[in-house]
């Protein structure tokens, strides 16, 4: 009556109907020699409706699909009217459509019962759970909101995996993307400076760092998302305070980074008067390969300088700067430049 469990999978040896299975959830309330009451039937009907299996009530559990059978087990648990529902990877063997369907059903119970679930899918956990508890070696490593728990550092510590952790633009929840970089030695002994801003460089900073490049970036505002990413990765970054233009000292530091760089990557960032010198200074580096990076086709830099930034870009392209799209093409280009210079 207090706790119900939905296991990852269950073997049902007899040819029970769906209603038989769901009615088993009323066992704690039915006397030893008694039959279910009209109230028990009503509760089971409601549970089957919630789990979207009412239309299967008369069918054998051996005649329905795995996803439907899992919903039947959820209906059985709901028929118990528990205060706590435990899910032991209850959706791990289902396809994504059934996973979402079942988790939507359970999420709809919020406020009525407490649900505790085991997840291996970090993105499902982030979306459906209010609080997460991350385990390492059988012990609690950290606990808190999805935003507090699913960080680059925590995932690295638990899974030894390079990831991109970002907030979903629609849900506001974090989502995790593994970085499958088999080119982990591509950047060995290679230095790349990234000119970015407005969050356009975070993915590239992480990608190049994971591929073994020595990465510098800037000049960035210290409140910029890209600056936060650089600090988290331990990268060298030239930065300025908020609402502050590029000073001669920062420009000098930027030149030191560019002097040491084997290549420069420029993202499709917004350019205004305050950060225009990040582009202008590149005109002084005629022999350094310069790559304009866009995440996908059609992405272009936003020019708020009345055309000055566009003129600089055109001049750089005239001198041989290249445009690439996508991370794979960027890594291939940087690798090719490295082998050419060697």
């Amino acid at each position: 009556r207090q706790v119900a469990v939905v296991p990852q999978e269950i073997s049902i040896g007899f040819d029970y109907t769906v209603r038989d299975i769901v009615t088993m959830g009323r066992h704690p309330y039915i006397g030893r020699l008694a039959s279910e009451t009209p109230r028990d039937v009503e509760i089971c009907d409601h549970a089957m409706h919630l789990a979207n299996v009412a239309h299967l009530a008369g069918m054998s559990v051996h005649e329905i699909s795995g996803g439907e059978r899992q919903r039947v087990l959820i209906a059985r648990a709901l028929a118990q009217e528990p205060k706590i529902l435990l899910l032991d990877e209850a959706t791990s063997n289902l396809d994504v459509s059934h996973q979402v369907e079942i988790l939507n059903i359970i999420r709809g119970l919020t406020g009525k019962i407490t649900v505790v679930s085991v997840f291996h899918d970090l993105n499902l956990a982030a979306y459906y759970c209010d609080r997460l508890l991350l385990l390492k070696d059988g012990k609690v490593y950290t606990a808190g909101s999805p935003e507090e728990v699913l960080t680059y550092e925590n995932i690295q510590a638990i899974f030894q995996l390079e990831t991109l952790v970002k907030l979903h633009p629609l849900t506001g929840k974090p989502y995790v993307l593994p970085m499958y970089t088999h080119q982990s030695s591509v950047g060995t002994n290679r230095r790349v400076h990234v000119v970015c801003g407005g969050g356009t460089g975070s993915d590239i900073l992480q990608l190049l760092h994971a591929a073994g490049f020595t990465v510098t970036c800037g000049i960035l505002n210290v409140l910029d998302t890209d600056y936060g990413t650089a600090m988290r990765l331990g990268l060298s970054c030239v930065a300025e305070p908020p609402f502050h233009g590029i000073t001669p000292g920062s420009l000098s530091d930027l030149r030191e980074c560019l002097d040491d760089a084997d290549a420069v990557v420029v993202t499709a960032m917004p350019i205004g008067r305050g950060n225009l010198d990040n582009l202008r200074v590149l005109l002084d580096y005629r022999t350094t390969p310069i790559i304009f990076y866009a995440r996908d086709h059609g992405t272009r830099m936003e020019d708020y300088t009345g055309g000055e930034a566009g003129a600089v870009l055109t001049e750089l392209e005239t001198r041989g700067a290249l445009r690439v799209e996508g991370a794979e093409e960027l890594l291939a280009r940087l690798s090719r430049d490295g082998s050419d210079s060697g």
Side-chain angles (χ1 to χ4, degrees):
R1 296 187 182 191
Q2 299 296 317
V3 180
V5 178
V6 179
Q8 182 175 355
E9 55 183 295
I10 188 172
S11 175
I12 302 173
F14 295 94
D15 198 27
Y16 293 115
T17 66
V18 166
R19 179 175 290 279
D20 291 335
I21 297 295
V22 176
T23 303
M24 292 176 186
R26 299 304 297 165
H27 177 74
Y29 302 91
I30 299 175
R32 192 170 187 179
L33 300 178
S35 299
E36 62 269 17
T37 66
R39 174 62 177 160
D40 293 320
V41 174
E42 179 184 348
I43 291 171
C44 289
D45 286 342
H46 181 61
M48 286 190 289
H49 174 75
L50 286 177
N52 193 23
V53 294
H55 62 291
L56 304 174
M59 295 184 63
S60 165
V61 292
H62 296 149
E63 296 174 348
I64 61 179
S65 70
E68 290 168 336
R69 186 156 52 245
Q70 200 68 357
R71 295 203 305 273
V72 170
L73 297 181
I74 290 174
R76 182 183 68 176
L78 297 179
Q80 289 181 230
E81 297 184 303
K83 295 181 179 179
I84 299 172
L85 176 61
L86 304 181
L87 306 178
D88 182 15
E89 296 185 69
T91 63
S92 62
N93 290 330
L94 305 180
D95 62 50
V96 65
S97 62
H98 286 127
Q99 287 182 333
V100 170
E101 181 181 14
I102 288 173
L103 291 172
N104 282 340
I105 292 168
I106 294 169
R107 181 66 185 176
L109 302 173
T110 300
K112 301 175 184 177
I113 62 175
T114 298
V115 181
V116 181
S117 179
V118 175
F119 281 95
H120 278 132
D121 189 313
L122 303 181
N123 292 318
L124 288 178
Y127 182 73
Y128 285 101
C129 298
D130 301 305
R131 290 180 59 79
L132 301 180
L133 186 150
L134 190 60
L135 298 178
K136 181 178 182 181
D137 299 327
K139 298 179 180 179
V140 176
Y141 183 81
T142 187
S145 68
E147 294 81 2
E148 293 168 331
V149 171
L150 293 180
T151 65
Y152 169 87
E153 293 83 358
N154 288 341
I155 295 172
Q156 234 292 323
I158 300 298
F159 303 107
Q160 291 78 54
L161 182 67
E162 291 288 337
T163 57
L164 298 176
V165 181
K166 307 187 74 174
L167 291 182
H168 195 284
L170 297 180
T171 67
K173 298 283 190 177
Y175 66 95
V176 180
L177 296 173
M179 294 178 60
Y180 303 107
T181 53
H182 60 276
Q183 311 98 328
S184 58
S185 61
V186 164
T188 302
N189 299 321
R190 297 271 293 154
R191 301 179 65 89
V192 176
H193 182 80
V194 180
V195 179
C196 55
T200 61
S202 292
D203 293 0
I204 291 305
L205 293 175
Q206 295 187 76
L207 176 74
L208 297 179
H209 176 68
F213 289 93
T214 298
V215 184
T216 59
C217 61
I219 302 169
L220 286 168
N221 186 306
V222 295
L223 297 182
D224 196 299
T225 303
D226 292 340
Y227 176 80
T229 299
M231 292 301 96
R232 176 169 54 76
L233 295 173
L235 306 182
S236 177
C237 179
V238 184
E240 291 281 12
F243 311 110
H244 201 283
I246 294 177
T247 63
S250 291
L251 195 58
S252 176
D253 292 339
L254 172 59
R255 288 184 178 277
E256 288 185 15
C257 293
L258 294 172
D259 289 341
D260 292 336
D262 297 302
V264 177
V265 175
V266 182
T267 67
M269 61 183 178
I271 287 286
R273 300 289 178 183
N275 64 344
L276 181 57
D277 282 345
N278 279 331
L279 284 185
R280 280 181 176 151
V281 71
L282 299 180
L283 294 172
D284 297 333
Y285 291 84
R286 292 178 174 271
T287 60
T288 303
I290 297 176
I291 299 172
F292 297 136
Y293 168 78
R295 184 177 302 169
D296 46 44
H297 181 70
T299 303
R300 287 293 184 267
M301 187 176 291
E302 300 174 59
D303 185 356
Y304 299 102
T305 65
E308 288 186 54
V312 174
L313 293 175
T314 299
E315 176 65 19
L316 290 172
E317 285 192 277
T318 300
R319 295 181 182 185
L322 299 175
R323 291 189 180 273
V324 302
E325 295 175 359
E328 288 189 12
E329 186 180 352
L330 176 62
L331 286 177
R333 182 70 253 181
L334 290 172
S335 176
R336 196 176 308 131
D337 286 341
S339 61
D340 291 348
S341 65

